[in-house]
């Protein structure tokens, strides 16, 4: 607390609620932890390890395939 770390984020906005997408991502086969800001789902890339991108992509495809957004 009290200082900011440099990072990059991915911001996702859709027709459905940000909370619904965040929940779907948490419940994916590879859980993706996000935060919600200004009614959008935010994925902080700084929190990903090498090789995590494929799991995040799969979780997004699963959530989108279920019509969450």
């Amino acid at each position: 607390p009290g200082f900011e770390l440099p990072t990059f984020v991915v911001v996702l906005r859709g027709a459905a609620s940000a909370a619904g997408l965040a929940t779907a991502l948490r419940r994916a086969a590879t859980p993706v932890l996000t935060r919600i800001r200004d009614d959008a789902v935010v994925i902080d890339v700084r929190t990903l390890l090498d090789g995590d991108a494929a799991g995040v992509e799969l979780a997004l495809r699963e959530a989108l395939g279920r019509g969450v957004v």
Side-chain angles (χ1 to χ4, degrees):
F3 64 93
E4 293 185 25
L5 298 173
T7 191
F8 294 96
V9 296
V10 175
V11 178
L12 303 166
R13 295 183 193 279
S17 75
L21 177 56
T23 298
L25 291 172
R26 267 195 317 277
R27 293 180 177 167
T30 300
V32 178
L33 300 179
T34 65
R35 65 181 187 264
I36 297 174
R37 176 171 282 164
D38 299 325
D39 201 32
V41 174
V42 178
I43 300 172
D44 190 335
V45 179
R46 182 186 66 222
T47 64
L48 301 178
L49 300 174
D50 290 339
D52 282 352
V56 172
E57 179 184 357
L58 181 59
L60 284 166
R61 288 180 184 275
E62 289 175 3
L64 295 171
R66 284 189 227 125
V68 172
V69 275

